[in-house]
Amino acid sequence: MNLIKRILGIVWIGLGIGAGIYLIYFQAVPLWAKGGNDLVPAIIYTFVLAPLISIGMSLFGFYALQGEFDTIL
Amino acid sequence: MTTKKQSLAYIISASSVGTLIEWYDFYIFGSLATVLSTKFFPTDNPTAAFLNTLATFAAGFVVRPFGALVFGRLGDLIGRKYTFMVTLMLMGGATFAIGLIPSYATIGAWAPILVLTLRLLQGLALGGEYGGAATYVAEHAPAERRGFFTSWIQTTATLGLVISLAVIMATRSSMSKEAFDDFGWRIPFLVSILMVLVSLLIRKNMEESPMFAKAKAEGNISKNPLKESFGNKLNLKYVLLALFGATMGQGLVWYTGQFYAQTFLLKICNLDDIQTNTILVIGLLLGTPLFVIFGALSDKIGRKGIMMAGMIIAVLSYRPIFDQMYKTVDVTNKTVVPGSEKMTLKGKTTTITKEYTDGSSYKNVITEVSPDKTESKISIKINEKDQWTLVGYVFFLISFVTMAYGPIAAFLVEMFPTKIRYTSMSLPYHIGNGVFGGLMPAIATFLVSNAQTAGVVQKPYLEGLNYPIALISVCVVIGIIYIKSAKKAA
């Protein structure tokens, strides 16, 4: 089980980075170009969801890869 | 024993009433968003319209984790009781002040700026309140019944919405539409101050949490809760686990079942607003006892299993349930009563009405806002049988909410030590619920709108569900693999 936890760490890092790229390039950039009220979701994608998911998920994955979750209290 | 039980009942009541009022305050803003937009955010001013969208859909939610940090830190430094007294006053003051702000027509640009600022204060206060109340009750409750006792706090979010809808509906029905639009909408905001004062009086006599008082007496409280919570890898990994393995999915299940269901019926199905709110209120009230049932059950069989089961059932059933909800309201396959179709023209407004053989009715008010632009407002009323069918679907959605949300306070409290508990549990809770969950209805509506414009998928009205389904699925995998399935985590 611990091996699975660690291997999945790579998946979480990849997922975090991939989600960040997807949210910024495929969701936020077209909205920034449109302007107006579309700026609200653009701001949310760029400054809230993308950093939260990419940094948070990557850090979680990094800890998992390091075996930090092998023993959970 | 009896005294202890009475004491616990008082503690739970006093904590829950305050939290319920905070939820009420937070929700009336959203429920009255349409009226607020006409008073404070005129559509002919693009900046004001932008601020409106920001205030209505994002600001109050995004700021919640900051409230969790500010007040969580205070709660771990000076105590739970004083901190959630402060958050209650902040919330009550901000809500009351919204009810007093002069309209855009009177003070111009200051109106939207003030409303946005007060909305941010509401979000900050809510970010501090929940963690305090949950921690306070949990630290009074016996460990073997923590799920049951904290589940009462969990009911407050749903009851707060019910009361906000009830107060708005009662105010609306007690006066003419013109009077409500003129000044009546301020009443639900102003009433809040009375409720806050009552709650403050009740909370004033409460004692500090025994666990915190003991830690303080032993000199075992944190000197820097933020650093200890998030600067220490040993604790930070639990914060991340709580977020990605529990609160992210739980927050999305909650907001999809409780709020997106309302947005979906109103904006995507075009169901009449009074009928939508009635269905929601009945569904919520029927589902609310389940919070306590699942909270108590989590004391017996563990928190993780119930929360994960709620999330898995939600992921599997969202598309079929929302599809059926849409089809129940949709009039395209219904038969129009011969001769019932009418069209009336009044000024720049055209109204089309139709009656259907099953008792449904359709009304479309088309207004010409400029020579090359019209706005259409469709409102569908369904028959009583279909209304109860929708109550049933909402009840199912709420039951998933109660499975995921009922045990979460006890689960989070047990994950972190007393000295940094308020800070550590509040942040993942408010990121999961405020950010991932709170933004869900706006993001989902946006995805549906995009899908309808693109016209490439068969059921564009279900596209908004992709966001919660994807993130809840990730949360379930993380939760099942990484979270310990013991009856109590600590």
Side-chain angles (χ1 to χ4, degrees):
Chain A
M1 191 62 180
N2 284 344
L3 185 65
I4 295 171
K5 285 181 182 177
R6 289 185 182 211
I7 291 169
L8 278 174
I10 300 167
V11 174
W12 308 131
I13 293 171
L15 198 63
I17 295 168
I21 292 169
Y22 171 77
L23 284 169
I24 289 184
Y25 286 100
F26 295 98
Q27 294 293 332
V29 168
L31 296 172
W32 281 110
K34 278 188 191 173
N37 267 1
D38 283 335
L39 285 178
V40 175
I43 290 169
I44 292 170
Y45 286 140
T46 310
F47 298 112
V48 182
L49 288 180
L52 192 61
I53 294 177
S54 53
I55 297 171
M57 195 65 97
S58 301
L59 191 58
F60 178 80
F62 178 69
Y63 283 159
L65 192 60
Q66 280 193 322
E68 290 289 337
F69 296 111
D70 286 0
T71 34
I72 294 292
L73 293 175
Chain B
M1 193 66 187
T2 314
T3 312
K4 195 182 174 189
K5 272 186 182 170
Q6 282 170 345
S7 159
L8 260 176
Y10 170 74
I11 287 160
I12 291 165
S13 309
S15 305
S16 301
V17 167
T19 312
L20 186 145
I21 290 164
E22 291 229 16
W23 285 117
Y24 165 87
D25 288 351
F26 194 71
Y27 292 146
I28 50 173
F29 189 97
S31 302
L32 289 170
T34 314
V35 184
L36 292 177
S37 65
T38 61
K39 299 293 165 191
F40 300 116
F41 306 99
T43 47
D44 56 356
N45 180 329
T47 310
F50 171 77
L51 289 176
N52 177 27
T53 316
L54 196 65
T56 309
F57 298 112
F61 295 107
V62 173
V63 82
R64 276 170 59 178
F66 296 99
L69 292 176
V70 172
F71 293 107
R73 178 178 172 276
L74 275 182
D76 283 329
L77 284 174
I78 63 169
R80 284 72 165 112
K81 180 192 160 179
Y82 293 104
T83 306
F84 69 38
M85 292 280 275
V86 172
T87 62
L88 188 63
M89 284 190 282
L90 183 64
M91 178 65 98
T95 307
F96 184 69
I98 291 174
L100 295 175
I101 297 176
S103 68
Y104 184 88
T106 312
I107 58 168
W110 280 106
I113 292 168
L114 283 172
V115 172
L116 182 60
T117 307
L118 291 168
R119 181 62 173 163
L120 288 171
L121 288 180
Q122 280 192 321
L124 277 177
L126 190 64
E129 163 69 24
Y130 173 82
T135 304
Y136 187 81
V137 170
E139 290 181 347
H140 277 88
E144 71 279 5
R145 299 197 71 197
R146 202 173 274 147
F148 169 70
F149 286 116
T150 53
S151 67
W152 291 94
I153 291 286
Q154 305 304 93
T155 65
T156 59
T158 299
L159 291 176
L161 177 64
V162 170
I163 292 174
S164 75
L165 293 174
V167 170
I168 291 166
M169 284 160 82
T171 314
R172 270 187 199 275
S173 59
S174 67
M175 58 184 71
S176 67
K177 189 181 178 303
E178 291 72 28
F180 185 83
D181 285 343
D182 185 29
F183 69 90
W185 63 270
R186 293 182 187 271
I187 293 172
F189 288 98
L190 300 176
V191 161
S192 161
I193 201 76
L194 297 174
M195 294 198 263
V196 168
L197 287 174
V198 171
S199 181
L200 279 175
L201 285 174
I202 298 171
R203 281 189 171 183
K204 188 166 69 75
N205 298 320
M206 292 165 75
E207 290 172 3
E208 184 51 86
S209 138
M211 283 190 190
F212 181 82
K214 184 170 177 279
K216 194 174 183 181
E218 292 169 352
N220 196 22
I221 59 169
S222 174
K223 289 187 173 60
N224 191 343
L226 291 178
K227 193 178 173 191
E228 284 188 47
S229 291
F230 313 116
N232 170 6
K233 188 165 81 173
L234 195 66
N235 197 64
L236 179 61
K237 71 179 184 185
Y238 283 102
V239 173
L240 290 169
L241 182 58
L243 173 62
F244 292 114
T247 59
M248 178 173 78
Q250 168 266 310
L252 282 160
V253 171
W254 179 22
Y255 276 82
T256 305
Q258 191 163 307
F259 298 96
Y260 185 58
Q262 184 188 28
T263 309
F264 183 79
L265 287 172
L266 268 176
K267 294 189 176 171
I268 296 165
C269 301
N270 293 313
L271 186 65
D272 171 70
D273 57 348
I274 293 175
Q275 236 175 4
T276 299
N277 287 341
T278 307
I279 289 164
L280 205 74
V281 166
I282 298 171
L284 289 171
L285 286 174
L286 289 174
T288 299
L290 294 175
F291 282 110
V292 181
I293 291 170
F294 286 118
L297 192 62
S298 76
D299 288 326
K300 310 279 181 205
I301 64 169
R303 328 262 183 236
K304 177 183 162 179
I306 296 173
M307 292 193 303
M308 293 302 143
M311 291 185 210
I312 292 168
I313 299 169
V315 163
L316 296 176
S317 58
Y318 274 163
R319 287 184 75 93
I321 286 181
F322 278 88
D323 194 22
Q324 286 307 313
M325 285 166 72
Y326 186 85
K327 285 174 179 166
T328 304
V329 183
D330 188 22
V331 290
T332 49
N333 292 321
K334 293 180 180 177
T335 311
V336 179
V337 174
S340 71
E341 196 166 349
K342 289 174 188 157
M343 185 190 286
T344 52
L345 190 64
K346 192 178 176 185
K348 290 183 175 179
T349 303
T350 307
T351 306
I352 300 166
T353 55
K354 294 177 202 175
E355 304 286 334
Y356 294 87
T357 51
D358 73 337
S360 306
S361 63
Y362 168 97
K363 185 179 180 184
N364 187 3
V365 180
I366 305 161
T367 310
E368 187 189 319
V369 279
S370 64
D372 56 346
K373 191 182 172 191
T374 55
E375 273 179 7
S376 170
K377 170 90 176 75
I378 297 171
S379 175
I380 296 167
K381 278 189 185 171
I382 52 173
N383 63 39
E384 199 177 328
K385 181 176 162 282
D386 286 344
Q387 189 173 320
W388 282 104
T389 305
L390 288 182
V391 168
Y393 289 131
V394 170
F395 173 77
F396 278 125
L397 294 173
I398 299 299
S399 65
F400 312 150
V401 175
T402 61
M403 290 177 80
Y405 193 55
I408 197 81
F411 169 81
L412 289 173
V413 162
E414 287 163 355
M415 233 177 170
F416 302 103
T418 307
K419 65 177 185 175
I420 51 169
R421 183 171 285 151
Y422 200 152
T423 311
S424 297
M425 75 160 279
S426 292
L427 189 71
Y429 174 84
H430 285 290
I431 293 177
N433 288 272
V435 178
F436 287 116
L439 298 177
M440 186 273 160
I443 291 173
T445 309
F446 182 72
L447 292 175
V448 170
S449 168
N450 275 357
Q452 283 170 335
T453 310
V456 287
V457 288
Q458 200 186 355
K459 293 178 177 175
Y461 55 88
L462 295 181
E463 288 302 290
L465 296 169
N466 293 342
Y467 167 65
I469 288 173
L471 291 186
I472 296 168
S473 302
V474 171
C475 184
V476 165
V477 174
I478 292 176
I480 288 176
I481 292 174
Y482 292 94
I483 290 176
K484 193 181 174 188
S485 59
K487 213 166 107 180
K488 284 187 280 291

